[in-house]
């Protein structure tokens, strides 16, 4: 018998069919031993990554050296890049749940906030955005309302950069004159916004999210609503973004029985964003969360429902059991004042296991929102839930289960509602802010985190104009500190900015018109230290073109003494112009704040020289008996100049007295006149002299 040797070729077969020709000879035999290299099937994409809060570090002080940024999350692949405001950083792939990146010192030279995302190779859809602040740490976080606009955004809102200009924008829902709209406001980068642009939708949305659902690199809007023409149940409305801050008309899809909230993430790892939408049904009917898998073009497959607790109102995603697959957490209002949180572990293909339900504190003011983040820096995701009694923290065990909850009371209002997380005081620990629904006075609160899953006592701030039911956090004025935007069901929209770490109030002084050679009334500036450490002030000086015409005095501690955290001091400035004309200078405070080592207060003033005409430059009185008063002699004062004359005082010396009708201390108008009447009352015999002085 003939033996035919088989040859091992070592070919790598990429799932293509290999056609083998046979020899016509029956005895001929071709033996192939093929080694296979497995690669993804044609058309398969890498997943859209998901980034956890917080980044490590979550904030850095400006002016430092290069540093390593650690990004934790889900769905990272080899070759993924960490992006700083859209620009790739030198990135190291650690695992599918962790990346590190080198941040050059040039990126953190000045105060600001970076948008951090992750992009997998071959993808155009980046991860969710997490903010990294470049600002010194502060001992506290406070907020000052910048204004209140009515009729702009009365409901849920989303904050993102819709037009790619590096400034945060907002979009929300609006009901106006019987119609429902999406209201989009482009940010100016200083905490203010342009006029809203309205897009009509079929009904008022209960939830809104910004996400790139069609994979074109431009943010779109997704809204969960009820009562539209898609049927008796809920509706998903998609407004595709054009990348310039405008959106295409809404397209509606059936979204489940009665949509209440939504969240966007790549739930099946196919590189296309999907949606989880909660549904609240009638009493006695199981409520659900519907999964709508994305097709990658802005359309979605039919919803698949999973049972959750009664009356779900909030949904978020995260890898709660560390298996590399996104899971869901749903906050349920509950029945009979018994709210719960449902946890549904994901299978990685867009399907989910049955819920595990965690009870929340029983209250007449039920659970409304839930957040997922690593609150104690142990690498395991935790849950933060607002309840009618305050906040509840459930620390994760890393396997999809949670430790017994810890409750934090918030006694400033009636219905703590929306939540937003961020490192508000830039100390490296994740904090949380909450608004209050239907409370008297309308307030919000921030709870600073300790980094171990516990929180400090709430710090309360006022919000005027309407109940702060919905909140979003971001750096709206690009100063490195996270700010807040609140909206309410009463159609109010409020922006609250954090004051700078070194707060100067006011930031400018205007002395207006001042007579040449005359010192003005003093004006004051208050310097407050919002840093977490003492402020070292090396010098306070008047600088600028006309520095010699201004003077300052202060009670601030000068180095080596420091201004304590939370402490303040006063700087007093006066203006004494030496010439006619507008003058400018500045108070310059040199300090050890790495973000702004020199703080300035702008000074302005105008030197004037009014021309005074006197009807007489001397008065002579005849002999007058001692202890008697002479007849009055008048002196007319006329302002013959081109600017008003400031009259601060009129006095006499010796045995002379005066009365007048001059405006003291207001001004004597141009061409106006007043009269000074002088009398003589000698107290002894002899020649007497004196002086009439007008200042």
């Amino acid at each position: 018998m003939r033996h035919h040797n088989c040859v091992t070729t070592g070919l790598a077969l990429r799932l293509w069919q290999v056609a083998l020709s046979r020899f016509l000879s029956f005895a001929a035999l071709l033996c192939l031993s093929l080694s296979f290299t497995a690669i993804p099937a044609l058309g398969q994409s890498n997943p859209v990554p998901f980034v956890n809060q917080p980044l490590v570090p979550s904030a850095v002080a400006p002016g430092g050296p290069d540093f390593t940024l650690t990004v934790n999350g889900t769905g990272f692949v080899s070759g993924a890049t960490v992006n700083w405001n859209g620009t790739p950083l030198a990135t190291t792939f650690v695992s599918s749940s962790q990346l590190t990146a080198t941040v050059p010192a040039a990126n953190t030279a000045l105060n600001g906030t970076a948008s951090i995302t992750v992009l997998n190779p071959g993808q155009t859809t980046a991860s969710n955005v997490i903010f990294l602040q470049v600002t010194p740490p502060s001992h506290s976080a406070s907020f000052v309302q910048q204004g209140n606009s009515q009729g702009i955004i009365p409901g849920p809102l989303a904050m993102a950069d819709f037009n790619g200009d590096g400034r945060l924008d907002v979009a929300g829902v609006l009901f106006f004159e019987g119609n429902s709209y999406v209201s989009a406001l482009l940010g100016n980068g200083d905490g203010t916004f342009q006029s809203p642009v309205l897009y009509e939708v079929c009904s008022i949305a209960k939830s809104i999210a910004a996400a790139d659902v069609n994979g074109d690199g431009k943010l779109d809007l997704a809204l969960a609503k009820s009562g539209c023409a898609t049927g008796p149940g809920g509706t998903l409305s998609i407004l595709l973004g054009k990348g310039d801050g405008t959106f295409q008309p809404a397209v509606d899809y059936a979204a489940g029985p009665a949509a209440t909230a939504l969240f966007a993430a790549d739930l099946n790892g196919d590189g296309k964003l999907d949606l989880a939408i909660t549904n609240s049904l009638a009493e006695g009917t199981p409520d659900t969360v519907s999964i709508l898998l994305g097709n990658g073009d802005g359309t979605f497959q039919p919803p698949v429902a999973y049972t959750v607790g009664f009356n779900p109102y909030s949904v978020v995603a995260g890898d709660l059991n560390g298996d590399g697959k996104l899971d869901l957490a749903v906050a349920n209002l509950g029945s009979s004042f018994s709210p719960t949180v449902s946890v549904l572990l994901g299978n990685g293909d867009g399907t989910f296991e049955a819920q595990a339900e965690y009870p929340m504190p029983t209250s007449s003011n039920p659970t409304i929102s839930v957040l997922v983040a690593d609150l104690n820096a142990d690498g395991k995701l935790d849950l933060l839930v607002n309840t009618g009694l305050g906040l509840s923290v459930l620390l994760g065990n890393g396997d999809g289960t949670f430790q017994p909850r810890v409750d934090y009371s918030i006694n400033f209002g009636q219905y703590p509602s929306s939540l937003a997380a961020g490192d508000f005081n830039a100390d490296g620990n994740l904090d949380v802010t909450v608004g209050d629904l239907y409370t008297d006075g309308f307030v919000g609160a921030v709870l600073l985190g300790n980094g171990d899953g516990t929180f400090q006592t709430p710090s309360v701030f006022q919000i005027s104009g309407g109940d702060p039911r919905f909140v979003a956090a971001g750096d709206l004025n690009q100063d490195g500190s996270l700010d807040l935007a609140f909206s309410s069901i009463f159609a109010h929209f409020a922006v609250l900015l954090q004051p700078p770490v070194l707060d100067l109030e006011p930031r400018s002084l205007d002395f207006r018109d001042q007579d040449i050679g005359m010192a003005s009334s003093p004006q004051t500036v208050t310097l407050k230290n919002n840093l977490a450490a003492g402020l070292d002030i090396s010098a306070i000086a008047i600088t600028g073109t006309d520095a010699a015409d201004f003077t300052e005095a202060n009670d601030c501690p000068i180095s080596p003494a420091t201004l304590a955290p939370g402490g303040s001091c006063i700087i007093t400035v006066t203006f004494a112009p030496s010439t006619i004309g507008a003058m400018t200078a500045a108070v310059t405070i040199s300090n050890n704040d790495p973000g702004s080592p020199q703080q300035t207060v702008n000074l302005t003033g105008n030197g004037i020289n009014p021309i005074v005409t006197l009807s007489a430059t001397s008065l002579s009185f005849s002999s007058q008996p001692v202890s008697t008063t002479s007849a009055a002699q008048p002196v007319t004062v006329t302002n013959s100049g081109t600017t008003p004359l400031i009259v601060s005082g009129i006095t006499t010396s010796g045995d002379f007295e005066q009365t007048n009708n001059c405006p003291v201390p207001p001004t004597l108008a141009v061409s106006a006149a007043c009269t000074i009447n002088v009398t003589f009352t000698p107290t002894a015999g002899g020649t007497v002299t004196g002086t009439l002085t007008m200042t």
Side-chain angles (χ1 to χ4, degrees), residues 77-81 91 93 119-121:
V77 302
S78 180
T81 58
T91 303
F93 176 78
L119 186 65
N120 277 335

Side-chain angles (χ1 to χ4, degrees), residues 284-362:
T285 303
D287 290 334
T288 63
V289 57
S290 295
I291 306 302
L292 288 78
L293 297 180
N295 296 316
D297 58 359
T299 66
F300 294 85
Q301 299 178 32
V304 177
Y306 298 85
T307 298
V308 294
F310 178 73
N311 202 357
Y313 209 85
S314 175
V315 58
V316 291
D319 183 7
L320 302 176
N321 61 347
D323 64 353
K325 304 167 185 176
L326 287 177
D327 312 306
L328 297 177
V330 179
N332 310 299
L333 295 176
S335 59
S336 302
F337 310 120
S338 299
T340 64
V341 170
S342 299
V343 173
L344 295 85
L345 298 181
N347 297 315
D349 57 359
T351 65
F352 292 85
E353 299 179 15
Q355 68 167 329
E357 208 166 358
Y358 293 83
M360 293 294 108
T362 300

Side-chain angles (χ1 to χ4, degrees), residues 157 418 433-435 461 463 468 470-471 484-488 492-494 496:
L157 72 159
S418 53
T433 186
V434 59
F461 48 88
I463 304 172
F470 307 98
V471 62
L484 300 175
F486 282 95
S487 62
S488 80
H492 291 274
F493 173 68
L496 288 85

